[in-house]
Amino acid sequence: MNFQTIGFIGLGLIGGSIARAIRKFHPDTQIAAFDTNLDNLTLSLSEGVITSACTKVDETFSSCDLIFLCAPVNDNNTYLPVIRKLMKPGAVLTDVGSVKSGIHQEVCRHGLESCFIGGHPMAGSEKSGYSNSNDHLIENAYYILTPAEEFPEEDAASMEAYVRSLGAIPLVIRMEEHDHIVAAVSHLPHLIAAGLVNVVKESDSPDEKMKMIAAGGFKDITRIASSSPVMWQQICELNQKPIEEMLDRYISYLSSIREMVHNRESEEIYRLFETSRDYRNSIPDNSSGPIKKVYAIYCDIIDEAGGIATIATILASNNINIRNIGIIHNRSFEEGVLRIEFYQEDACEKAAALLRKYRYTVYES
């Protein structure tokens, strides 16, 4: 199947990034988009990412070969009755939501099973919105596809090939299996991060010493707590049962850890850290999951005027873009004084080699 005309309902971080990838790899594609945020449409149109902007879901979408639902998960459902009337025969409908059972149920209710294949690119950011989108967000990321029962096999194969053409890695699984997996590796970590941040917030002193000292490992493992509250509220509602199951397991495990600590069970505590270390280290570095990998290095510098500026200049003069840079005041979990974060892995590797060439001591995360 040749997707020459594509429509987007929702043009935020994920929708915008997929649209940019399409423009990059399939430059002749006609892309129509609707978004409630008119600034997103204006910007994407001016950048040449989309070819037509819509202020509502209208007849423009009737010419589309493929339509992406990229609005918040609950909002996607509200567009189905309108889309059903507009879709031309043979067109494909997909979504990018991180919960699949709910959208599949709504698709069945509206008689769209034969044209729907669920989608979930396992990529993202703690930042949201079209302005934070890029054409490589889904590159080398798993892109899960969950075809409806009546969805033709040849169309599923076409969708797999198209996802692969955008640089992603298609993975076809059942919707129930998808929701179980993401409850464990995505939804539970977000709840843990949010809960941990709130525990520290509520335990802090009036002069906020915990907040002042918190850095390093704490900031890294709670980074995803900066994600959209609206999106995660909806995810928790839609994937309730799998999330509850994983929460029960985690709470039970935390209770057992508490017992180990209380009873000073040295061997068990050691095994806890040993098994978690070994399993985490066995995860390939090139594995791209739902929680976006951070590319960062740590660098020793002397506290002198212009130290950071010198490093920034070295990197900029070699066309290396910095995502974030700053002094680490709490180095309990890192070596190096300066933390430099990058958008891509190759930029991170290039920066490390370059700074070592200039005789800086660099530690890679």
Side-chain angles (χ1 to χ4, degrees), residues 118-156:
H120 181 200
M122 306 296 280
S125 168
E126 68 275 17
K127 304 296 184 182
S128 60
Y130 177 81
S131 61
N132 292 298
S133 64
N134 60 71
D135 62 13
H136 54 268
L137 186 73
I138 64 172
E139 184 178 353
N140 294 321
Y142 286 116
Y143 196 120
I144 294 181
L145 296 170
T146 59
E149 287 188 11
E150 296 181 15
F151 191 73
E153 288 187 14
E154 60 271 24
D155 289 351

Side-chain angles (χ1 to χ4, degrees), residues 19-146:
R20 288 182 188 275
I22 291 171
R23 181 59 62 222
K24 176 181 178 180
F25 292 105
H26 304 281
D28 296 329
T29 304
Q30 297 295 304
I31 301 177
F34 160 76
D35 194 279
T36 55
N37 186 330
L38 296 181
D39 290 340
N40 289 346
L41 298 176
T42 301
L43 180 58
S44 59
L45 198 59
S46 68
E47 292 178 334
V49 174
I50 67 172
T51 50
S52 58
C54 306
T55 55
K56 62 179 181 178
V57 181
D58 56 23
E59 292 295 330
T60 306
F61 289 87
S62 62
S63 63
C64 293
D65 304 306
L66 172 63
I67 298 175
F68 283 90
L69 289 169
C70 302
V73 284
N74 276 342
D75 296 343
N76 282 336
N77 297 338
T78 65
Y79 295 113
L80 294 178
V82 179
I83 292 171
R84 183 186 179 188
K85 296 176 182 178
L86 294 174
M87 285 186 71
K88 68 180 183 181
V92 172
L93 176 65
T94 189
D95 77 319
V96 296
S98 62
V99 181
K100 299 268 71 83
S101 298
I103 187 71
H104 273 272
Q105 291 171 3
E106 288 299 307
V107 161
C108 292
R109 191 164 72 86
H110 290 284
L112 291 164
E113 282 183 281
S114 62
C115 62
F116 181 77
I117 180 169
H120 181 200
M122 306 296 280
S125 168
E126 68 275 17
K127 304 296 184 182
S128 60
Y130 177 81
S131 61
N132 292 298
S133 64
N134 60 71
D135 62 13
H136 54 268
L137 186 73
I138 64 172
E139 184 178 353
N140 294 321
Y142 286 116
Y143 196 120
I144 294 181
L145 296 170
T146 59

